Amino acid sequence: MGIDNTSPYKQGDLNLDVLLIGNGGREHAIAWKLKQSPNVKNLFIAPGNAGTSQISQNVTIDSTDLHNLIKFCGDTDIDLTVVGPEEPLSIGIVDKFTDKKLMIAGPTKSAAQLESSKAFAKEFMKRHQIPCAESMTFDNYLEASNFLDHVQLPIVIKADGLAAGKGVVVANSKTDASKALDTFMNQRTLGNAGQTIVIEEFLDGKEVSVFSFVDGEYHSPLVSACDYKRAYDGNVGPNTGGMGCYSPAEFWSEQVDEQIENEIFAPTVKGMAKENNPYKGVLYGGLMMTKQGPKVLEFNARLGDPETQVILPRLKSDLAEIMVGIAEGRLNKTRIQWSDQHCVGVVLTSNGYPESYETGFRIGGLKEAGQTALIFHAGTSLDNDSIVTSGGRVLTVVGQGKSISRAREIAYEAINHIRFAGAFYRKDIASFDNVSN
Ligand code: AMP
Ligand code: GLY
């Protein structure tokens, strides 16, 4: 595995007991990759799912129960903690673990504000001339409402705080924009996340998710993926957590990479360090490729879901070593390489997702599907010896190939083997018959 000569460690030297936090498809993919590392001795996942229980040991602690996570790390002598989702980061898991001298890879609560506060991220980007949509931030409803008289449509209204994908409204009319302000700021449908809002210019273009590992100063080469957010074929229907994904983006080139590196990632990492708020962890830029160049729609402080399921199979290096490099601030000594292969991931959901759906259905055909594709579990659990559905997004099925079309074929062929009541998936992931995702 790609550990280079400058690494202070040889393969298998670290002998780590690792705790991974989270329970989605992203975490199953992280667990799968960590298990390939000769540096990982034991892997625990809190709370995990049926898929992670097959390759590591699930621990029934919620991902935001910091007290019990810390206790578990002490009792079990965990050497390294890796964090999947944003909530534990936003409530300061890294600060608390660091206080207790527990090694953890991720941003502090303050640095994680790049994701947990859109107002913080906007102000930061403005200070460092990082390209993003023009915007104004408001914590007063009347002022925000009056401002709507002066904007061009469509306009984008964003709740400041974490909202699990429900905090952004692209409004095509002033009525819709006013309604969004009212629900976020007055009705507080998202609780305190909607106390402050950002009103921003609508950006037109192709969206791309870009990732880099960051150790406070150094950051790794970028990797790209494209995610399909709408529920139905042709990019219609409600927004979801992500219905499918592919990596790399079809338009990725050295020139695009260099531009995003120079205009977005380098100044972000440098800017955070300069402001005494060094960023350590995975930096995820949700970008819009506009006619004027790439612009930031949002930053996230973690890996994406389902993007992780299509990027980690392309990581040629040792993920455990990368996580230690992040935590110890010596990522520049760690070789981080991405393969040229293509990955396409299709998400299987419970019928009705993202609204209401039933769970508890037995899943069949996983073994057959797993012969040719990677199967990452999300909403699954064990019912006696059966694997059953337990969430909206159930599985991500990933095909790998020399071309995107081959990877796509493998993913869809594998899906044909999988059966559960109400299984639903998009048929057009990475098909390019649509204009954009
Ligand atoms: P965010 O959580 O900020 O990434 O927003 C969720 C989704 O809303 C994005 O993936 C975009 O599809 C859309 N979006 C957010 N901001 C804008 C914008 N300024 N212009 C156009 N679409 C946007
Ligand atoms: N795929 C979108 C996200 O992880 O936020």
Side-chain angles (χ1 to χ4, degrees):
M1 243 181 214
I3 299 181
D4 79 28
N5 296 333
T6 54
S7 166
Y9 298 106
K10 295 199 183 69
Q11 284 191 18
D13 254 0
L14 299 182
N15 222 14
L16 300 167
D17 282 348
V18 180
L19 172 67
L20 168 64
I21 294 174
N23 65 352
R26 164 182 51 210
E27 286 75 20
H28 190 188
I30 297 171
W32 167 82
K33 189 69 193 169
L34 286 172
K35 281 298 283 185
Q36 292 168 16
S37 166
N39 287 303
V40 173
K41 191 172 50 171
N42 294 300
L43 177 62
F44 300 88
I45 168 152
N49 57 40
T52 62
S53 74
Q54 293 173 335
I55 55 169
S56 57
Q57 198 177 317
N58 285 358
V59 182
T60 43
I61 306 175
D62 189 82
S63 59
T64 54
D65 183 355
L66 304 191
H67 173 79
N68 279 311
L69 290 169
I70 287 173
K71 185 167 180 311
F72 176 80
C73 287
D75 293 349
T76 320
D77 262 338
I78 294 292
D79 302 299
L80 167 72
T81 298
V82 175
V83 188
E86 60 273 28
E87 291 87 358
L89 296 170
S90 75
I91 60 172
I93 190 171
V94 170
D95 313 60
K96 293 241 163 65
F97 272 51
T98 309
D99 282 351
K100 302 272 181 212
K101 309 257 179 299
L102 294 168
M103 180 156 68
I104 185 163
T108 59
K109 180 176 179 177
S110 172
Q113 286 179 99
L114 276 183
E115 171 165 10
S116 65
S117 168
K118 295 207 189 273
F120 172 92
K122 278 291 189 187
E123 293 309 315
F124 172 82
M125 287 189 276
K126 283 179 193 165
R127 281 197 298 281
H128 296 276
Q129 289 89 46
I130 294 162
C132 59
E134 294 287 328
S135 70
M136 291 282 283
T137 298
F138 296 93
D139 52 19
N140 178 291
Y141 170 75
L142 275 180
E143 284 173 20
S145 186
N146 288 337
F147 181 72
L148 286 183
D149 290 333
H150 309 286
V151 302
Q152 269 190 348
L153 295 168
I155 189 82
V156 183
I157 316 284
K158 296 185 171 183
D160 175 55
L162 294 181
K166 296 193 169 68
V168 176
V169 172
V170 178
N172 288 308
S173 67
K174 197 171 161 237
T175 315
D176 286 353
S178 300
K179 206 168 122 202
L181 283 188
D182 184 52
T183 50
F184 289 163
M185 298 185 91
N186 295 335
Q187 296 177 39
R188 291 290 175 90
T189 49
L190 301 172
N192 286 343
Q195 190 171 355
T196 299
I197 56 104
V198 172
I199 300 183
E200 77 176 29
E201 166 201 16
F202 175 81
L203 299 177
D204 202 10
K206 168 88 188 171
E207 270 187 72
V208 61
S209 304
V210 182
F211 301 87
S212 176
F213 299 109
V214 189
D215 75 356
E217 266 180 52
Y218 173 85
H219 68 280
S220 69
L222 310 181
V223 64
S224 68
C226 294
D227 177 19
Y228 290 74
K229 292 216 162 79
R230 299 298 196 99
Y232 311 130
D233 286 4
N235 300 315
V236 294
N239 259 317
T240 69
M243 296 296 289
C245 216
Y246 58 89
S247 175
E250 72 284 14
F251 55 82
W252 203 251
S253 64
E254 258 176 50
Q255 195 209 337
V256 169
D257 189 303
E258 209 175 291
Q259 189 177 14
I260 292 175
E261 164 65 22
N262 293 338
E263 294 179 10
I264 296 171
F265 278 75
T268 300
V269 175
K270 216 185 242 171
M272 291 294 280
K274 204 166 152 200
E275 295 189 1
N276 284 324
N277 195 10
Y279 190 90
K280 287 178 159 204
V282 176
L283 182 63
Y284 162 175
L287 314 182
M288 188 70 93
M289 304 301 292
T290 73
K291 282 200 181 112
Q292 295 84 39
K295 294 190 181 184
V296 178
L297 291 174
E298 63 163 351
F299 279 123
N300 293 314
R302 52 173 172 84
L303 282 163
D305 190 346
E307 287 94 330
T308 306
Q309 294 89 304
V310 292
I311 64 169
L312 288 189
R314 298 185 53 221
L315 179 62
K316 296 205 289 189
S317 318
D318 180 335
L319 186 60
E321 209 203 348
I322 292 173
M323 290 297 159
V324 172
I326 290 173
E328 295 193 337
R330 50 174 184 72
L331 207 50
N332 60 341
K333 301 252 190 306
T334 312
R335 185 192 289 174
I336 302 175
Q337 285 183 314
W338 300 99
S339 79
D340 291 336
Q341 75 170 344
H342 295 257
C343 286
V344 171
V346 181
V347 175
L348 273 80
T349 68
S350 299
N351 191 28
Y353 172 80
E355 273 102 39
S356 61
Y357 51 82
E358 285 180 59
T359 58
F361 299 115
R362 194 170 170 277
I363 308 173
L366 290 170
K367 213 166 165 193
E368 294 86 336
Q371 311 259 308
T372 48
L374 295 167
I375 316 287
F376 296 116
H377 292 225
T380 66
S381 58
L382 281 175
D383 182 5
N384 296 315
D385 281 339
S386 296
I387 295 178
V388 298
T389 64
S390 63
R393 289 195 289 176
V394 178
L395 302 165
T396 310
V397 177
V398 177
Q400 308 175 76
K402 284 212 171 97
S403 66
I404 190 162
S405 56
R406 182 67 194 126
R408 174 174 200 272
E409 253 168 40
I410 293 170
Y412 278 106
E413 274 166 22
I415 283 178
N416 284 334
H417 294 288
I418 299 177
R419 297 171 303 278
F420 62 87
F424 177 83
Y425 60 93
R426 276 183 65 158
K427 316 286 183 296
D428 63 347
I429 303 302
S431 80
F432 301 109
D433 295 336
N434 300 314
V435 200
S436 67
N437 35 310

